[in-house]
Amino acid sequence: MNTLEFKPFPKMARLRRECIITEKIDGTNASIYIGPDNYKDPKMIDVFHNTEGETIGLWAGSRTRWITPMDDNFGFAQWVYDNSSELLKLGEGHHFGEWWGSGIQRGYGFKNGERFFSLFNATRWVEHGKPTASISSDNPKAPPLFQEHAPACCKVVPILYKGIFDTKVAETELSILRQFGSEAVDGFMNPEGIVVYHQAARVGFKMTIKNDDKPKGQAQ
């Protein structure tokens, strides 16, 4: 006799826990995947061999699809190919970020083809040449973790606040961004907004300076 599958109520994260607030950069979502090359995928951008002799593939993605230098999205796939050896330092897995700069959305004052890839995971990564910090954990028995330096070709989204989650803090950081401009590009006075990442719940929320109350398709 078949029995009905039991589904327990999902565990809830505590709201008053650590969060990290970063600047939301207005570009286009992009991703890099580094993993085993188990098949000849035409979307794979480059291939390498690790120290164990295993074949490692490199892919580039937009928000919705894999891209290549011949089927690109604002030149991101070509940039990944050009910097493939350096990007391997990210390690295996998916790495998400924003591809932004000249000719993409706000542009941030760049007009001569300058474009940048900013990693979203500012908890893990810090930009090349900047000091690393310890990564906080709710588990007192866990071994200490520290940030890693991102590849030299990458940026990391600017951290505006780290601490206990509070909607008032989020509103304050949004107000500071509105008043003083972008942290990603000094002097750029039309930033988009912020992203609040709740570490216990492992979910992010965005707030924009303009039209935050409207669905994305209706915002101008």
Side-chain angles (χ1 to χ4, degrees), residues 44-59:
M44 186 171 60
I45 293 213
D46 212 339
V47 62
F48 299 85
H49 296 283
N50 63 17
T51 55
E52 286 75 35
E54 299 170 323
T55 306
I56 302 297
L58 179 70
W59 287 258

Side-chain angles (χ1 to χ4, degrees), residues 114-179:
E114 310 96 322
R115 292 175 179 174
F116 313 95
F117 180 58
S118 292
L119 292 159
F120 288 148
N121 192 349
T123 299
R124 175 180 177 181
W125 301 106
V126 66
E127 288 183 14
H128 189 76
K130 294 184 178 180
T132 59
S134 61
I135 300 174
S136 60
S137 173
D138 291 333
N139 183 0
K141 297 182 179 179
L145 295 175
F146 295 88
Q147 290 176 306
E148 301 173 59
H149 280 117
C153 58
C154 297
K155 291 182 176 292
V156 181
V157 290
I159 295 176
L160 308 179
Y161 167 84
K162 291 177 70 175
I164 299 299
F165 171 78
D166 191 317
T167 54
K168 292 182 180 179
V169 171
E171 292 284 0
T172 297
E173 293 300 334
L174 195 67
S175 178
I176 292 172
L177 202 64
R178 180 189 298 112
Q179 182 177 357

Side-chain angles (χ1 to χ4, degrees), residues 193-205:
I194 62 173
V195 172
V196 182
Y197 180 75
H198 192 285
Q199 291 178 276
R202 296 184 179 182
V203 63
F205 303 90

Side-chain angles (χ1 to χ4, degrees), residues 180-193:
F180 296 103
S182 172
E183 287 284 333
V185 179
D186 187 39
F188 184 74
M189 298 306 296
N190 185 30
E192 184 180 15

Side-chain angles (χ1 to χ4, degrees), residues 63-144:
R63 187 177 65 84
T64 59
R65 62 188 177 91
W66 296 119
I67 56 178
T68 69
M70 300 299 293
D71 180 24
D72 216 333
N73 184 44
F74 292 103
F76 179 66
Q78 183 64 53
W79 178 85
V80 171
Y81 177 78
D82 292 340
N83 294 276
S84 57
S85 295
E86 182 71 12
L87 290 169
L88 281 181
K89 296 176 183 178
L90 290 168
E92 292 192 29
H94 286 278
H95 304 280
F96 298 94
E98 195 80 358
W99 179 240
W100 59 281
S102 178
I104 308 175
Q105 302 295 3
R106 277 171 169 78
Y108 290 80
F110 296 103
K111 299 179 180 179
N112 299 310
E114 310 96 322
R115 292 175 179 174
F116 313 95
F117 180 58
S118 292
L119 292 159
F120 288 148
N121 192 349
T123 299
R124 175 180 177 181
W125 301 106
V126 66
E127 288 183 14
H128 189 76
K130 294 184 178 180
T132 59
S134 61
I135 300 174
S136 60
S137 173
D138 291 333
N139 183 0
K141 297 182 179 179

